[in-house]
Amino acid sequence: MMLSQSVLNALVSVFVFNQCLAYFSVEKHDDCFCQLSGKIDECTCNIDTVDHFNNVKVYPRLKSLLLKDFFRFYKVNLKRPCPFWSDDSKCAMRYCHVEPCLAHEIPEGLKGATKDNNSQKTHLQTSPADKYARDQNEGCTSQHNTLDYLNKTLSEKAQKDIQLWNAHDDAQDNFCEIDENDEEAEYVDLLLNPERFTGYAGASAHRIWKTIYLENCFRPKRSFNFNPYIQSAKLNELCLEERVFYRAISGLHASINTHLCSNYLLSESNGLSLANPKGKWGPNLEEFQKRFSPDTTNGEGPNWLRNLYFVYLLELRALAKAAPYLESEEYYTGNDPNDWDTQMAMKDLLNVIKSFSDHFDESTMFRNTEQAEKLKYEFKQHFRNITKIMDCVGCDKCRLWGKLQIQGLGTALKILFSGKLDNVANNIKLDSHNKKEFQLSRNEIVSLVNAFGRLSNSVYKIDDFRQILR
């Protein structure tokens, strides 16, 4: 049946109207991404370059690597009291709870077993005092028995003092005060305690971020303290190092918000309540728009997402710089086949990371001798305060992931600015005490890779939200 010309014209008009309506609807709802393009602040590469590099090359590798036992178990003390205010805001929801690992669930290599390179078997490590004596005597011949005897007769106090001296020396490079050697520290399985929206929100959660921004970030002299966030237009009033600090914290905040929006309890869509432990989790587009739309963030939401890309590049550069050190690690858990797979997977990831051509350039920072040292000290102290603020988070699961990501970022800063990795070719050179000049603890490596995994996940999920909107 042939349609009349008037009917055809009417259909065409309706089609065009609907297309225009759809276009303006996309424009209206796509405002979270309206400024998310072009060059990344303080860096030389573009956002679309990072999107492709991460989503195609990095994210799939990290997703597989973080399933390995070495990276899934993180040791942390979640019982420290808040040092800044009375902690009266504990989250009572079951989603906030973290269940530590039982002894039999922890790989032998993480409980103190070490590899015997001769027999390829494991043995339980002796006490720190005995280990110190043994390490001092490695390679001694029978004619040095007197020295062996003298080392073993060191008093327990002297041995503990030596351990404290070594810990003090190592701590000078650290940006964090998260100590996995606390007596109350326990192993947590990160795969069984994923980061997601638990219902922890409101005044207590806002107080954490407000304290971080207002009291521990560098701020322009003329900024008003009632607004914790610095307007992007005012960031140029800060020096480079101060801007880097703010962008790193803002980017981490944006990343955490992206995780919560992408792994949100969808109670309204399936009729479940927050008290139901079998709730359906997934992306919440409305929440994402609320947290990043210019309309609800005084125009700053897209800039916060840009800062996420910045901290991604900062941690990417740290991994590239520490690659020779990380490639030499055994990633030991006591399971030889799995440990080998972890080593190969890590080397593959690091090869990809090193191939990136537009890394963040940390050499432009802290260049003015006397003033630079003072600024670096303030930079470090501000960040250490933020690690302490994590003990004020009222939700255990939020505290767990907050501590891990802060320690990961702090480890990245240690790699970039301690000065011990500036000569990359010699970064695993041994000193006279048979100790690496540059040291990372197992927890630092676990937090560094997992924190970067969280940023990688955020960049990937941002693209998911972009596709959902369009």
Side-chain angles (χ1 to χ4, degrees):
M1 181 178 68
M2 299 292 293
L3 296 175
S4 66
Q5 187 63 41
S6 59
V7 172
L8 285 172
N9 290 339
L11 290 174
V12 169
S13 297
V14 170
F15 175 78
V16 171
F17 175 77
N18 286 335
Q19 289 296 100
C20 291
L21 193 63
Y23 172 79
F24 286 111
S25 177
V26 168
E27 287 296 301
K28 180 179 182 298
H29 295 292
D30 201 27
D31 55 0
C32 293
F33 306 104
C34 61
Q35 301 173 39
L36 204 57
S37 61
K39 183 172 165 290
I40 299 171
D41 303 286
E42 321 297 351
C43 302
T44 59
C45 65
N46 293 330
I47 283 176
D48 57 350
T49 303
V50 174
D51 279 333
H52 181 268
F53 179 74
N54 177 73
N55 297 349
V56 175
K57 297 182 178 182
V58 172
Y59 177 76
R61 287 174 168 84
L62 269 172
K63 189 176 180 181
S64 173
L65 178 65
L66 293 177
L67 298 177
K68 306 292 186 184
D69 281 354
F70 184 88
F71 291 106
R72 69 181 286 185
F73 294 98
Y74 178 63
K75 195 172 185 182
V76 62
N77 181 2
L78 298 176
K79 300 175 183 177
R80 282 182 173 182
C82 174
F84 301 112
W85 57 78
S86 176
D87 187 8
D88 56 358
S89 57
K90 282 287 185 182
C91 178
M93 302 185 67
R94 68 183 68 199
Y95 297 117
C96 294
H97 183 63
V98 171
E99 193 67 43
C101 297
L102 300 176
H104 71 273
E105 297 171 328
I106 305 169
E108 288 298 321
L110 307 188
K111 290 190 289 187
T114 57
K115 179 181 287 188
D116 186 331
N117 291 327
N118 295 321
S119 65
Q120 293 300 309
K121 294 180 180 179
T122 62
H123 62 275
L124 290 179
Q125 202 174 58
T126 56
S127 69
D130 291 339
K131 181 180 184 301
Y132 169 77
R134 188 182 72 246
D135 288 346
Q136 291 294 326
N137 298 314
E138 284 184 355
C140 290
T141 62
S142 58
Q143 63 183 346
H144 293 130
N145 286 338
T146 305
L147 288 177
D148 183 57
Y149 172 78
L150 288 173
N151 280 337
K152 285 187 174 179
T153 58
L154 285 172
S155 70
E156 184 176 350
K157 181 181 184 305
Q159 292 166 1
K160 288 183 177 180
D161 286 343
I162 291 171
Q163 293 171 37
L164 290 174
W165 298 339
N166 290 334
H168 177 269
D169 291 342
D170 291 340
Q172 299 310 301
D173 293 329
N174 292 342
F175 283 74
C176 296
E177 291 194 11
I178 300 174
D179 186 2
E180 62 270 26
N181 296 318
D182 281 0
E183 291 183 359
E184 292 188 286
E186 298 175 289
Y187 278 105
V188 173
D189 188 335
L190 298 175
L191 298 185
L192 297 181
N193 296 277
E195 184 182 22
R196 58 191 184 186
F197 180 73
T198 63
Y200 176 67
S204 175
H206 289 305
R207 187 179 192 178
I208 299 294
W209 287 110
K210 187 175 180 180
T211 304
I212 289 173
Y213 283 113
L214 288 181
E215 299 180 22
N216 293 283
C217 282
F218 300 95
R219 304 186 64 81
K221 294 179 180 178
R222 291 172 290 177
S223 66
F224 297 102
N225 286 338
F226 63 82
N227 183 4
Y229 311 116
I230 302 175
Q231 291 182 336
S232 299
K234 290 185 173 292
L235 277 177
N236 285 333
E237 297 179 19
L238 300 175
C239 68
L240 171 63
E241 292 80 2
E242 294 170 339
R243 293 199 306 271
V244 164
F245 191 99
Y246 180 82
R247 291 195 196 282
I249 298 301
S250 173
L252 176 61
H253 190 186
S255 179
I256 291 173
N257 279 336
T258 302
H259 306 156
L260 303 184
C261 295
S262 63
N263 205 2
Y264 200 94
L265 183 61
L266 304 176
S267 57
E268 295 181 3
S269 62
N270 56 17
L272 297 172
S273 68
L274 286 172
N276 191 331
K278 297 182 179 179
K280 181 180 178 181
W281 303 82
N284 186 326
L285 181 59
E286 182 179 351
E287 185 68 22
F288 183 82
Q289 291 176 301
K290 173 182 162 186
R291 293 178 186 245
F292 294 110
S293 170
D295 293 339
T296 56
T297 61
N298 196 27
E300 290 297 320
N303 294 319
W304 299 340
L305 290 176
R306 294 178 69 85
N307 289 337
L308 189 162
Y309 281 80
F310 169 78
V311 74
Y312 175 95
L313 289 176
L314 187 147
E315 292 195 16
L316 184 77
R317 168 57 185 154
L319 283 164
K321 189 172 184 178
Y325 179 96
L326 296 171
E327 287 167 342
S328 71
E329 289 295 305
E330 291 187 338
Y331 302 99
Y332 179 68
T333 66
N335 185 322
D336 287 346
N338 287 350
D339 295 347
W340 173 257
D341 288 343
T342 304
Q343 289 179 53
M344 294 302 101
M346 191 66 183
K347 288 179 179 179
D348 178 49
L349 173 66
L350 291 171
N351 283 335
V352 169
I353 288 174
K354 288 186 293 185
S355 72
F356 190 71
S357 59
D358 294 311
H359 279 293
F360 171 74
D361 183 7
E362 76 282 1
S363 67
T364 60
M365 297 177 59
F366 304 113
R367 298 179 70 173
N368 184 345
T369 56
E370 183 178 344
Q371 184 179 356
E373 286 305 312
K374 179 182 177 183
L375 186 57
K376 185 186 287 189
Y377 175 80
E378 293 177 358
F379 194 102
K380 189 178 295 184
Q381 292 306 114
H382 281 310
F383 199 86
R384 284 179 174 174
N385 280 343
I386 292 174
T387 68
K388 295 177 184 177
I389 293 173
M390 291 299 105
D391 288 316
C392 301
V393 176
C395 161
D396 283 348
K397 192 166 290 182
C398 305
R399 182 183 293 204
L400 163 67
W401 285 99
K403 279 175 170 281
L404 181 142
Q405 290 173 86
I406 285 292
Q407 185 175 23
L409 178 53
T411 303
L413 296 174
K414 171 182 175 178
I415 291 168
L416 294 177
F417 302 123
S418 70
K420 292 187 177 180
L421 276 176
D422 288 341
N423 186 355
V424 178
N426 295 323
N427 67 355
I428 56 172
K429 179 182 176 182
L430 300 179
D431 64 16
S432 58
H433 298 292
N434 199 35
K435 179 181 176 183
K436 290 180 180 178
E437 290 181 346
F438 178 79
Q439 291 282 319
L440 290 177
S441 69
R442 178 189 172 274
N443 241 35
E444 286 177 315
I445 295 174
V446 170
S447 63
L448 174 68
V449 177
N450 269 283
F452 183 64
R454 294 281 75 204
L455 295 173
S456 175
N457 179 268
S458 293
V459 172
Y460 189 87
K461 294 300 181 182
I462 284 174
D463 192 57
D464 279 352
F465 280 119
R466 185 188 284 114
Q467 298 306 322
I468 293 171
L469 282 168
R470 293 179 177 177

